[in-house]
Amino acid sequence: MIVLGIETSCDETSAAILRDGKIISSALYSQVEHSLYGGVVPEIASRAHMEKIDTIVSNVIGESKLQLKDIDLLAVSDSPGLAGALLVGISYALGIHSAHNTPVTGVNHLEGHISALFLSNPQIPVPFLALVVSGGHTAIYLVENFGKYRCIGQTVDDAAGEAFDKAGKLLGFRYPAGRAIENEAAKASGADLVKFPVAKVSGTRPDFSFSGLKTALRYFINSKSEEYVQENKAALCKAFQKAIIDSLAKNIQTATEITGIHTIGVVGGVACNGRLREEFMEKFGEHTYFPPPNLCTDNGDMIAMAGYLRAKHNRCQFPRMNPSAAL
Ligand code: KG4
Ligand code: ZN
């Protein structure tokens, strides 16, 4: 089965073609247009998708040596995401659907992130705990099987990636700042400069809260001189990154205790973070799975995989856009 996946829910325009669940071609445009603004500007995102989508899809078709009429299934992110951005991908997919009569399915973007694990680590045993940790989402799902998800905990305010990006803005890094903060943190040496608090959300669920952490960083920066902050930037990044990773690890630990499930999959852009990977491998060992970094950040491959698995599980559904739909 040949599946064309299309992803335009936020600031990546991406497409990929899979044959029987294996990647044969993929293409991605990461919108640099937002770097000046400290976050994604929805109108700029929609326009950039409109500019790039045709080239991106033509590239994957060209690289695969296939033609549009050879595609057996179109899979497109239909929720959650930015409304205008989602509309570009959905309209494009529906255009192909109308022209070639190709079957089409909508895909939940978070299911797409989880599907990256089935793509890169097909041996992952189910059930497992999926930590979806990205710029827009931070949640733990119990994945009983493809299509059967139970939310165990989630953020009550900012997502972890959003916290990295907001901290980056305070520290003078361009959006998205996660990788820059990781690189800067790696330069820190010596004793820890400061310990930022890891918020504990009331109740027994392993929920997350990252907005207080960003505020703690802001207060710390405001209490020091500009030179001090510049001189200690690496140590600040290290402390901030550590607080986020500690919170993620602590809540996953709680989730393993609540569910009795010890297999863990970490997906989403923040799963690119090398320190997070090391920490999880140390704490949770060989039961931890990560897709390669290019399949952690938004990509068409994971959407194509989710479409392929939807077809296999008889779960294809005509795209129905809901910008805020949870998994
Ligand atoms: O999954 P993704 O591409 O988009 C969403 O679905 O949100 O995730 C993007 C997020 C951004 O917030 C970015 O700063 C973060 O992932 N990110 C990282 C790293 N690489 C990307 N955060 C921490 N460390 C990284 N190496
Ligand atoms: Zn995403």
Side-chain angles (χ1 to χ4, degrees):
M1 170 181 243
I2 295 171
V3 184
L4 168 62
I6 296 177
E7 160 61 34
T8 64
S9 68
C10 191
D11 57 343
E12 260 88 27
T13 315
S14 181
I17 296 179
L18 306 191
R19 176 182 279 124
D20 299 330
K22 305 257 176 344
I23 302 168
I24 56 173
S25 63
S26 35
L28 171 114
Y29 173 70
S30 259
Q31 300 177 356
V32 285
E33 288 88 338
H34 309 285
S35 66
L36 293 175
Y37 302 98
V40 178
V41 183
E43 180 65 13
I44 293 178
S46 314
R47 286 169 187 251
H49 286 307
M50 285 162 70
E51 271 172 29
K52 297 288 180 197
I53 184 87
D54 201 39
T55 311
I56 291 288
V57 173
S58 302
N59 285 354
V60 289
I61 295 286
E63 196 191 325
S64 70
K65 310 266 187 285
L66 296 168
Q67 295 182 344
L68 276 177
K69 65 175 176 47
D70 301 321
I71 304 295
D72 298 310
L73 177 68
L74 296 158
V76 60
S77 295
D78 66 355
S79 53
L82 301 170
L86 287 167
L87 262 177
V88 176
I90 294 172
S91 311
Y92 198 90
L94 294 185
I96 302 174
H97 163 74
S98 303
H100 298 275
N101 220 1
T102 318
V104 59
T105 184
V107 164
N108 180 292
H109 179 81
L110 303 180
E111 182 169 63
H113 275 299
I114 292 171
S115 300
L117 277 171
F118 292 114
L119 182 58
S120 60
N121 302 82
Q123 79 286 13
I124 188 168
V126 285
F128 63 86
L129 293 170
L131 173 61
V132 181
V133 67
S134 70
H137 302 273
T138 297
I140 301 171
Y141 293 98
L142 170 60
V143 181
E144 288 169 21
N145 204 338
F146 176 80
K148 276 197 93 181
Y149 314 107
R150 187 150 62 88
C151 184
I152 304 293
Q154 61 189 333
T155 182
V156 296
D157 42 53
D158 291 351
E162 188 180 358
F164 271 110
D165 297 335
K166 287 179 174 172
K169 200 171 177 184
L170 293 172
L171 291 164
F173 295 110
R174 288 189 157 204
Y175 171 87
R179 182 142 48 116
I181 291 181
E182 177 184 1
N183 292 342
E184 187 67 25
K187 296 178 197 162
S189 57
D192 288 347
L193 180 74
V194 52
K195 190 173 185 322
F196 289 118
V198 180
K200 168 94 185 73
V201 181
S202 63
T204 51
R205 270 168 58 99
D207 287 327
F208 304 88
S209 169
F210 294 112
S211 64
L213 180 61
K214 171 206 63 197
T215 309
L217 175 67
R218 196 176 63 229
Y219 283 149
F220 188 87
I221 289 174
N222 289 348
S223 72
K224 305 286 179 195
S225 69
E226 175 65 28
E227 295 91 73
Y228 179 94
V229 172
Q230 286 312 318
E231 271 168 30
N232 294 287
K233 210 168 178 175
L236 278 176
C237 288
K238 187 177 167 202
F240 189 83
Q241 175 176 266
K242 180 172 169 18
I244 291 188
I245 294 172
D246 284 355
S247 164
L248 297 173
K250 189 161 166 286
N251 279 4
I252 274 289
Q253 175 67 42
T254 307
T256 64
E257 287 157 14
I258 293 172
T259 60
I261 306 293
H262 295 273
T263 307
I264 298 160
V266 191
V267 297
V270 180
C272 294
N273 187 282
R275 188 64 210 114
L276 180 146
R277 287 175 178 244
E278 282 166 16
E279 186 84 13
F280 270 57
M281 291 311 283
E282 272 166 34
K283 286 211 160 84
F284 308 111
E286 81 272 24
H287 305 293
T288 315
Y289 296 80
F290 293 90
N294 65 312
L295 295 179
C296 287
T297 45
D298 290 349
N299 62 86
D301 313 59
M302 69 187 196
I303 303 303
M305 187 63 181
Y308 173 67
L309 293 172
R310 279 196 169 220
K312 278 181 70 169
H313 288 79
N314 253 332
R315 282 189 49 229
C316 287
Q317 65 175 31
F318 201 74
R320 44 178 190 198
M321 196 180 92
N322 182 351
S324 59
L327 185 57

